[in-house]
Amino acid sequence: MAAPMKLKLEGNWRDLQGGIDILSANLGCELSEDGMPVHIEQKTGGIEVRLQKGRGSIRFEERIHFFRALGLFIESAMAGDDFELEEKPQFDTIGVMVDTSRNAVLTVDSLRSLLRRMALMGINALMLYMEDTYTLKTEPYFGYMRGRYSEQELRACADYAGTLGIEIIPCIQTLAHLEQFLKWTARSRDLIDTNGVLLVGNDETYHLIENMIASVSVSLRSKRIHIGMDEALGVGRGRYLDIYGPHNRFDIISSHLARVLEITGRHGLRPMMWSDMYFRIASETHDYYDLESVIPEQVRQALPSDLQLVYWDYYNEEEAFYREYIKRHKELNADVIFAGGAWNWNGIGVSYGKVFASTNAALNSCKALGVKQVILTLWGDDGAENNVFSALLALQLYAEHGYANELDLEKLKRRVRFCTGISFDGFMDLKYLDETPGTLPDNREFESPANPSKFLLWQDVLVGLFDKHIEGLDLPAHYGWLEEKLRRHKNDYPDWTSLFDVPQKLCAVLQKKSNLGLLIKDAYDQGDHAALERIARQDLPELIRRVQALRIAHRAQWLSTYKPFGWEVLDIRYGGVLARLDSAADRLSNYVDGDIEYIEELQAERLSFDGKKRPQPNVGVGFCNQYTRIATPGLFSLVWPPI
C-alpha cells in the first residue's frame, strides 16, 4: 500500500477539517506541517484545482465542491506533473435515493461508507426511501420486525452527512405503497382505502401522516421532504367509494394533497412528490409516459407553486422524449426535479447498458432545459437481492454529468477507480449476469431489461417456467466465462471481495442450473434413463453444494451491509431452491429405479412465461421480478379477506 500523500493546507479550511478527517483514508492523504502546501479559498463559480511548482490551490463554492476538488487534486497530483483543472457544477442538487423499504435496510456504517464515496464524487443529497422503516412512537407496528431506523440512528447519519456537505432528505409515502404497515389490520383497518392506499378524507389518516412527517423531519433536520404519492392507482376505488361515493380522482388527489401540505407547512418543510399520478389519471391507458394524455387546465391551476414535482423515468433512451416530458412538467411546475434509475433492482446484477443509455439521454436533456435538481434512484424491488454498492458506477455517471456540460467517458473511468477503488470494467462486467446470449444489445429492453440471473436462480428445475425462454442458448458457457472474470475481479479488489464473490458464486450455480431443466426434460422425453440417473446422482448433488456456497456468501455480504431483518426472506428463497433440488433428485431416482411409472411435472407441455413467441435463435430472454411468480405457478399463501 502506497504511503499517504502529505498535505499542508493553508487559507480558509479549518471548518472543513471534520470532513477531511472522515475522508482521509479514502483519499489516501494526511495533514502534515511538512506536506505539500495547498491554499484553500472559498469563492463563487465552481471548482478550480491547480498544482504549480510544488504548490497547490483549491478554490470552491460549496462544501461538497471542496471534497470533490480535494479528490481531484490528489488524483492528479499522484501523476507527478503540474496541472490546472476547472469544473462548473451543472446542477444545484445531485442526489441519490436509496431504497430502505424493499427488504434491505442499510446499517449506519453502510450509510456512512456510501456518504464518503458520494462526497468524493461531489454528490450533495441522499434520500432515504422509507415506507415504514423509521420509528413512530405512537405506532408500534410501524416498521415492526423490518429493521426500522431509530431517531438516534437517523440523527447520527444526518450529522455525518452534514460534515461532508451532504443533505439527507426523507423520502416517505403519504398515500400509497404502505402495504407493509397496513397489513396489520387490527390497527389500520380504518386507515385503508385499497391495498396499500390510505383512506383519503379520514381524520385518522392525517393524524398518522402528521406523526410520520414530524418524526422524520425532526430526526433528519432537512427542510425538504419527499411525500411520495406515486402509483396510487386504487385511490378512491375501495372503502373510499363505499363511504363517500364516486368522485373524480383528480379531485381526490388534490384534496388529499392539500391536507398533506397543510401538515408540511406547519412543520416549515418544502415538499416534493412523484408526478406520475397526474399523468396516469389523464391517460386513457393509465400510462405515465402517454404522449396523448392531457392534464385538465383546472388541475394545472390548482397545483401549489411551492410543491416540487419529481419526474421519474428509468426507461426512455431518446433525448426528444425527455425534453418533451420535461417541458410538460415545467408547465405544471417550473421547479421540476428529475429522477433516473440505476437499474440495480432486477436481480443480482446491474443493467449498466440500460443505465448509460437512459442516463445520458436524460441528463443531457436536463442540462439543455435548465433542470437544476437530479436524483439517481436505487430501488430494491422484490427482495433487494443485489448489493447496493454494485451501483456505484451509476453514481459516478451522475456525478461526472453534474460537473461537465458534456460527459467525458475517459475521465469517468479514472474517477470511478479513484472514488471507489474498482475499475470501470470491474463494474461493467456485472451487467453480464443478465446480458446473456439472446438478449438485445446492451440488454436495452424498454420496459425492463431481461433478468435471467434472477429467474434462473429461483425457478424450479422440474416445473421450468422459463425454460422456453432459453432454448438454444449456451448459457452454461456464458456463465462459466463470467465466473472466471468475476473471480479475477474478486482477487483484484480485496477491499471489495464480497461484491464480486456473490455474483461469482451465482455464476457457478447458473453454469449448472441454467439449462438443467431443459436437459432433464429432454432426457425424460427421450427415455434416457442413464442421463436422468447421472443428473440425479451427480449433477443435482453438485448443484446443491454450489447453491449452499452461494447462500453462505450472500448471507455474509448481506450482514456486512444491511440490518439482519429481511435476510429471512432470502433464506426462505434459498431454502426453497435447496429443498426443490433435493426433491428433484429424489423424483428422478424413483423414476429410474422403477418406483414410479412417470414424473407428472415432466409430462406437462412447456409454455413461454409471457406468452410471446420467440424466433430461433432466441431473441429477448424475458423478464420477471416477482419471486412468487418465478418459483411456482401456484400460491404460496392466500390472504383473506384481502387487505
Side-chain angles (χ1 to χ4, degrees):
M1 181 180 294
M5 179 179 292
K6 294 183 178 182
L7 302 176
K8 180 183 179 182
L9 301 187
E10 302 171 345
N12 186 17
W13 65 276
R14 292 292 179 183
D15 183 51
L16 302 165
Q17 184 164 359
I20 297 169
D21 292 342
I22 287 173
L23 294 175
S24 59
N26 295 82
L27 287 165
C29 74
E30 64 180 34
L31 302 184
S32 173
E33 284 299 315
D34 61 350
M36 178 189 299
V38 182
H39 183 75
I40 309 300
E41 179 184 352
Q42 191 167 9
K43 70 172 193 66
T44 59
I47 292 172
E48 297 176 9
V49 181
R50 293 183 175 85
L51 177 63
Q52 294 178 337
K53 298 180 180 180
R55 293 190 63 85
S57 67
I58 295 175
R59 304 178 74 191
F60 68 99
E61 182 170 355
E62 296 181 8
R63 191 178 190 86
I64 189 66
H65 299 159
F66 169 78
F67 296 114
R68 176 176 171 91
L70 183 58
L72 285 168
F73 181 89
I74 293 171
E75 178 190 355
S76 301
M78 288 169 61
D81 299 323
D82 287 355
F83 57 85
E84 185 171 335
L85 304 173
E86 293 187 15
E87 290 185 336
K88 183 173 177 56
Q90 304 294 302
F91 305 110
D92 297 334
T93 298
I94 308 171
V96 174
M97 189 224 75
V98 177
D99 187 344
T100 65
S101 294
R102 313 298 176 85
N103 210 42
V105 180
L106 279 85
T107 64
V108 171
D109 283 346
S110 292
L111 284 171
R112 287 171 172 166
S113 178
L114 181 63
L115 287 163
R116 290 194 297 272
R117 287 162 178 85
M118 289 170 57
L120 294 180
M121 295 176 187
I123 296 173
N124 64 350
L126 173 65
M127 287 185 179
L128 293 180
Y129 178 75
M130 301 177 290
E131 292 174 355
D132 67 327
T133 49
Y134 55 99
T135 300
L136 290 188
K137 294 178 180 178
T138 58
E139 302 288 347
Y141 283 94
F142 198 84
Y144 173 61
M145 290 294 180
R146 294 251 294 141
R148 62 192 172 202
Y149 290 115
S150 67
E151 292 182 2
Q152 293 77 15
E153 287 175 318
L154 292 179
R155 287 194 190 101
C157 290
D159 288 342
Y160 195 87
T163 303
L164 297 171
I166 300 171
E167 177 185 12
I168 299 186
I169 302 169
C171 184
I172 65 172
Q173 289 289 357
T174 60
L175 182 56
H177 288 300
L178 287 167
E179 294 88 348
Q180 298 306 319
F181 169 59
L182 295 178
K183 69 186 178 186
W184 302 105
T185 53
R187 162 64 187 95
S188 59
R189 192 181 303 277
D190 293 338
L191 298 169
I192 297 172
D193 180 1
T194 61
N195 185 23
V197 178
L198 291 171
L199 180 61
V200 173
N202 176 24
D203 287 343
E204 276 296 304
T205 295
Y206 301 101
H207 292 321
L208 171 69
I209 292 173
E210 177 118 36
N211 288 336
M212 293 160 63
I213 289 172
S215 176
V216 292
S217 61
V218 168
S219 299
L220 292 175
R221 297 191 294 277
S222 173
K223 290 302 179 183
R224 293 195 283 178
I225 187 169
H226 198 315
I227 59 173
M229 294 183 61
D230 61 310
E231 298 181 324
L233 296 178
V235 68
R237 294 180 169 180
R239 291 186 62 246
Y240 182 95
L241 184 63
D242 295 337
I243 296 170
Y244 303 110
H247 283 74
N248 179 286
R249 288 202 293 161
F250 277 125
D251 293 340
I252 298 173
I253 293 284
S254 295
S255 66
H256 180 67
L257 177 61
R259 298 271 312 253
V260 175
L261 295 189
E262 286 178 9
I263 297 170
T264 58
R266 282 198 295 273
H267 291 272
L269 303 173
R270 188 179 186 197
M272 64 186 82
M273 66 174 282
W274 306 112
S275 70
D276 59 289
M277 283 305 295
Y278 287 100
F279 290 85
R280 290 182 193 277
I281 295 174
S283 168
E284 292 184 1
T285 60
H286 306 298
D287 179 9
Y288 186 16
Y289 309 111
D290 181 3
L291 291 171
E292 302 300 319
S293 66
V294 177
I295 297 175
E297 183 60 29
Q298 66 269 26
V299 175
R300 297 173 185 269
Q301 295 296 330
L303 268 172
S305 59
D306 59 346
L307 171 71
Q308 291 182 284
L309 291 182
V310 183
Y311 161 36
W312 60 269
D313 193 338
Y314 323 137
Y315 305 95
N316 288 285
E317 299 178 8
E318 301 297 327
E319 287 191 29
F321 185 92
Y322 284 106
R323 292 185 184 221
E324 173 63 24
Y325 248 58
I326 289 170
K327 290 176 182 176
R328 293 189 180 202
H329 278 77
K330 282 180 171 286
E331 290 172 358
L332 294 173
N333 186 295
D335 195 9
V336 63
I337 300 172
F338 175 77
W343 281 105
N344 63 310
W345 54 81
N346 272 0
I348 298 181
V350 180
S351 298
Y352 273 120
K354 185 70 174 178
V355 171
F356 273 77
S358 58
T359 297
N360 289 339
L363 296 192
N364 285 339
S365 302
C366 287
K367 285 183 271 192
L369 295 180
V371 174
K372 289 301 182 183
Q373 299 185 66
V374 297
I375 304 163
L376 174 68
T377 61
L378 281 69
W379 294 106
D381 278 21
D382 180 65
E385 294 116 329
N386 191 10
N387 189 274
V388 68
F389 290 101
S390 67
L392 285 174
L393 175 58
L395 274 68
Q396 196 77 57
L397 176 62
Y398 261 63
E400 299 316 306
H401 264 292
Y403 289 89
N405 187 47
E406 294 184 7
L407 179 69
D408 182 338
L409 184 59
E410 293 306 311
K411 182 179 179 181
L412 166 65
K413 292 178 180 180
R414 296 192 303 270
R415 292 291 297 152
V416 77
R417 181 61 184 263
F418 180 82
C419 293
T420 71
I422 300 174
S423 71
F424 177 86
D425 290 340
F427 281 113
M428 289 296 282
D429 282 342
L430 294 172
K431 73 175 185 169
Y432 294 112
L433 288 163
D434 291 318
E435 192 174 313
T436 66
T439 59
L440 296 178
D442 282 332
N443 199 9
R444 285 165 58 181
E445 291 276 2
F446 173 74
E447 290 188 1
S448 288
N451 65 338
S453 69
K454 177 162 181 165
F455 61 67
L456 293 175
L457 171 62
W458 301 131
Q459 82 157 349
D460 187 87
V461 294
L462 289 183
V463 176
L465 294 180
F466 291 84
D467 282 349
K468 290 293 290 185
H469 293 245
I470 62 169
E471 288 177 343
L473 303 178
D474 193 354
L475 295 184
H478 173 81
Y479 285 115
W481 162 80
L482 184 56
E483 184 196 1
E484 286 305 312
K485 263 184 169 291
L486 297 176
R487 190 190 305 275
R488 290 195 295 271
H489 290 319
K490 186 170 69 173
N491 295 329
D492 290 341
Y493 310 115
D495 291 340
W496 293 101
T497 298
S498 180
L499 197 66
F500 294 100
D501 186 40
V502 172
Q504 180 243 316
K505 285 183 168 60
L506 173 62
C507 287
V509 168
L510 296 182
Q511 187 182 12
K512 277 282 185 186
K513 188 174 187 284
S514 58
N515 70 338
L516 188 58
L518 292 171
L519 295 177
I520 292 172
K521 174 67 171 164
D522 183 63
Y524 182 81
D525 289 345
Q526 298 299 321
D528 189 344
H529 283 222
L532 292 174
E533 184 173 17
R534 184 184 65 251
I535 291 170
R537 313 277 197 236
Q538 299 177 25
D539 293 345
L540 284 168
E542 171 60 23
L543 179 54
I544 287 171
R545 286 191 288 273
R546 295 187 186 194
V547 173
Q548 289 171 331
L550 169 60
R551 172 182 162 268
I552 291 168
H554 201 166
R555 182 178 64 192
Q557 183 195 75
W558 182 283
L559 295 175
S560 70
T561 307
Y562 306 117
K563 296 187 178 188
F565 302 97
W567 175 251
E568 75 279 1
V569 172
L570 298 191
D571 240 352
I572 291 166
R573 293 182 185 183
Y574 280 116
V577 171
L578 290 167
R580 287 300 296 160
L581 292 175
D582 179 71
S583 292
D586 189 60
R587 297 276 285 156
L588 294 180
S589 295
N590 288 341
Y591 175 69
V592 298
D593 290 343
D595 296 333
I596 57 176
E597 294 184 10
Y598 57 88
I599 300 175
E600 196 166 355
E601 302 96 313
L602 299 179
Q603 298 280 109
E605 179 187 2
R606 267 43 177 172
L607 303 175
S608 68
F609 180 82
D610 55 14
K612 296 179 181 178
K613 293 183 178 180
R614 289 173 165 76
Q616 294 294 330
N618 219 334
V619 176
V621 171
F623 164 82
C624 181
N625 201 17
Q626 298 175 20
Y627 167 77
T628 55
R629 293 203 65 202
I630 293 169
T632 175
L635 291 174
F636 281 104
S637 65
L638 177 64
V639 178
W640 190 261
I643 295 173

